[in-house]
PDB file of all heavy atoms in Angstrom:
ATOM      1  N   LEU A 230      14.491 -22.343  -5.514  1.00  0.00           N
ATOM      2  CA  LEU A 230      14.755 -21.846  -4.240  1.00  0.00           C
ATOM      3  C   LEU A 230      15.605 -22.792  -3.432  1.00  0.00           C
ATOM      4  O   LEU A 230      16.440 -22.350  -2.618  1.00  0.00           O
ATOM      5  CB  LEU A 230      13.415 -21.609  -3.542  1.00  0.00           C
ATOM      6  CG  LEU A 230      12.928 -20.198  -3.367  1.00  0.00           C
ATOM      7  CD1 LEU A 230      11.744 -20.143  -2.447  1.00  0.00           C
ATOM      8  CD2 LEU A 230      14.041 -19.294  -2.735  1.00  0.00           C
ATOM      9  N   ALA A 231      15.219 -24.061  -3.527  1.00  0.00           N
ATOM     10  CA  ALA A 231      15.953 -25.061  -2.741  1.00  0.00           C
ATOM     11  C   ALA A 231      17.409 -25.147  -3.067  1.00  0.00           C
ATOM     12  O   ALA A 231      18.113 -25.664  -2.311  1.00  0.00           O
ATOM     13  CB  ALA A 231      15.263 -26.417  -2.843  1.00  0.00           C
ATOM     14  N   THR A 232      17.804 -24.649  -4.204  1.00  0.00           N
ATOM     15  CA  THR A 232      19.126 -24.820  -4.618  1.00  0.00           C
ATOM     16  C   THR A 232      19.892 -23.485  -4.646  1.00  0.00           C
ATOM     17  O   THR A 232      21.096 -23.468  -4.955  1.00  0.00           O
ATOM     18  CB  THR A 232      19.297 -25.465  -5.991  1.00  0.00           C
ATOM     19  OG1 THR A 232      18.519 -24.766  -6.912  1.00  0.00           O
ATOM     20  CG2 THR A 232      18.807 -26.946  -5.848  1.00  0.00           C
ATOM     21  N   CYS A 233      19.139 -22.369  -4.438  1.00  0.00           N
ATOM     22  CA  CYS A 233      19.785 -21.069  -4.590  1.00  0.00           C
ATOM     23  C   CYS A 233      19.499 -20.324  -3.418  1.00  0.00           C
ATOM     24  O   CYS A 233      18.367 -20.188  -2.926  1.00  0.00           O
ATOM     25  CB  CYS A 233      19.193 -20.419  -5.861  1.00  0.00           C
ATOM     26  SG  CYS A 233      19.351 -18.673  -5.889  1.00  0.00           S
ATOM     27  N   SER A 234      20.519 -19.656  -2.898  1.00  0.00           N
ATOM     28  CA  SER A 234      20.342 -18.983  -1.566  1.00  0.00           C
ATOM     29  C   SER A 234      19.957 -17.522  -1.861  1.00  0.00           C
ATOM     30  O   SER A 234      19.821 -16.769  -0.898  1.00  0.00           O
ATOM     31  CB  SER A 234      21.528 -19.037  -0.754  1.00  0.00           C
ATOM     32  OG  SER A 234      22.696 -18.523  -1.429  1.00  0.00           O
ATOM     33  N   GLU A 235      19.820 -17.057  -3.095  1.00  0.00           N
ATOM     34  CA  GLU A 235      19.344 -15.758  -3.484  1.00  0.00           C
ATOM     35  C   GLU A 235      17.835 -15.617  -3.406  1.00  0.00           C
ATOM     36  O   GLU A 235      17.163 -16.529  -3.819  1.00  0.00           O
ATOM     37  CB  GLU A 235      19.917 -15.313  -4.834  1.00  0.00           C
ATOM     38  CG  GLU A 235      21.442 -15.201  -4.898  1.00  0.00           C
ATOM     39  CD  GLU A 235      21.933 -14.073  -4.093  1.00  0.00           C
ATOM     40  OE1 GLU A 235      21.448 -12.966  -4.199  1.00  0.00           O
ATOM     41  OE2 GLU A 235      22.837 -14.296  -3.252  1.00  0.00           O
ATOM     42  N   PRO A 236      17.442 -14.449  -3.095  1.00  0.00           N
ATOM     43  CA  PRO A 236      15.930 -14.286  -3.209  1.00  0.00           C
ATOM     44  C   PRO A 236      15.499 -14.435  -4.658  1.00  0.00           C
ATOM     45  O   PRO A 236      16.242 -14.105  -5.558  1.00  0.00           O
ATOM     46  CB  PRO A 236      15.673 -12.908  -2.685  1.00  0.00           C
ATOM     47  CG  PRO A 236      16.888 -12.477  -2.000  1.00  0.00           C
ATOM     48  CD  PRO A 236      18.037 -13.253  -2.647  1.00  0.00           C
ATOM     49  N   ILE A 237      14.319 -14.832  -4.937  1.00  0.00           N
ATOM     50  CA  ILE A 237      13.819 -14.892  -6.257  1.00  0.00           C
ATOM     51  C   ILE A 237      12.561 -13.985  -6.303  1.00  0.00           C
ATOM     52  O   ILE A 237      11.636 -14.130  -5.524  1.00  0.00           O
ATOM     53  CB  ILE A 237      13.452 -16.349  -6.674  1.00  0.00           C
ATOM     54  CG1 ILE A 237      14.796 -17.013  -6.844  1.00  0.00           C
ATOM     55  CG2 ILE A 237      12.669 -16.337  -7.937  1.00  0.00           C
ATOM     56  CD1 ILE A 237      14.633 -18.571  -7.047  1.00  0.00           C
ATOM     57  N   ILE A 238      12.616 -13.013  -7.260  1.00  0.00           N
ATOM     58  CA  ILE A 238      11.435 -12.107  -7.412  1.00  0.00           C
ATOM     59  C   ILE A 238      10.889 -12.394  -8.768  1.00  0.00           C
ATOM     60  O   ILE A 238      11.660 -12.313  -9.771  1.00  0.00           O
ATOM     61  CB  ILE A 238      11.885 -10.709  -7.183  1.00  0.00           C
ATOM     62  CG1 ILE A 238      12.494 -10.517  -5.799  1.00  0.00           C
ATOM     63  CG2 ILE A 238      10.624  -9.749  -7.332  1.00  0.00           C
ATOM     64  CD1 ILE A 238      13.209  -9.170  -5.618  1.00  0.00           C
ATOM     65  N   GLU A 239       9.653 -12.632  -8.814  1.00  0.00           N
ATOM     66  CA  GLU A 239       9.059 -12.854 -10.171  1.00  0.00           C
ATOM     67  C   GLU A 239       7.817 -12.032 -10.402  1.00  0.00           C
ATOM     68  O   GLU A 239       7.079 -11.793  -9.407  1.00  0.00           O
ATOM     69  CB  GLU A 239       8.653 -14.342 -10.377  1.00  0.00           C
ATOM     70  CG  GLU A 239       9.786 -15.217 -10.732  1.00  0.00           C
ATOM     71  CD  GLU A 239       9.308 -16.516 -11.374  1.00  0.00           C
ATOM     72  OE1 GLU A 239       8.141 -16.773 -11.244  1.00  0.00           O
ATOM     73  OE2 GLU A 239      10.132 -17.231 -11.972  1.00  0.00           O
ATOM     74  N   GLY A 240       7.582 -11.718 -11.532  1.00  0.00           N
ATOM     75  CA  GLY A 240       6.350 -10.992 -11.800  1.00  0.00           C
ATOM     76  C   GLY A 240       6.544 -10.074 -13.009  1.00  0.00           C
ATOM     77  O   GLY A 240       7.618  -9.553 -13.151  1.00  0.00           O
ATOM     78  N   PRO A 241       5.583  -9.843 -13.814  1.00  0.00           N
ATOM     79  CA  PRO A 241       4.300 -10.497 -13.660  1.00  0.00           C
ATOM     80  C   PRO A 241       4.285 -11.964 -14.030  1.00  0.00           C
ATOM     81  O   PRO A 241       4.931 -12.295 -14.991  1.00  0.00           O
ATOM     82  CB  PRO A 241       3.418  -9.666 -14.654  1.00  0.00           C
ATOM     83  CG  PRO A 241       4.308  -9.206 -15.657  1.00  0.00           C
ATOM     84  CD  PRO A 241       5.700  -9.004 -14.982  1.00  0.00           C
ATOM     85  N   VAL A 242       3.612 -12.797 -13.221  1.00  0.00           N
ATOM     86  CA  VAL A 242       3.575 -14.223 -13.556  1.00  0.00           C
ATOM     87  C   VAL A 242       2.439 -14.396 -14.515  1.00  0.00           C
ATOM     88  O   VAL A 242       1.381 -13.987 -14.309  1.00  0.00           O
ATOM     89  CB  VAL A 242       3.311 -14.999 -12.258  1.00  0.00           C
ATOM     90  CG1 VAL A 242       3.186 -16.493 -12.490  1.00  0.00           C
ATOM     91  CG2 VAL A 242       4.382 -14.723 -11.205  1.00  0.00           C
TER      92      VAL A 242
END
Side-chain angles (χ1 to χ4, degrees):
L230 254 187
T232 55
C233 159
S234 57
E235 293 294 309
I237 290 173
I238 302 168
E239 277 200 347
V242 179

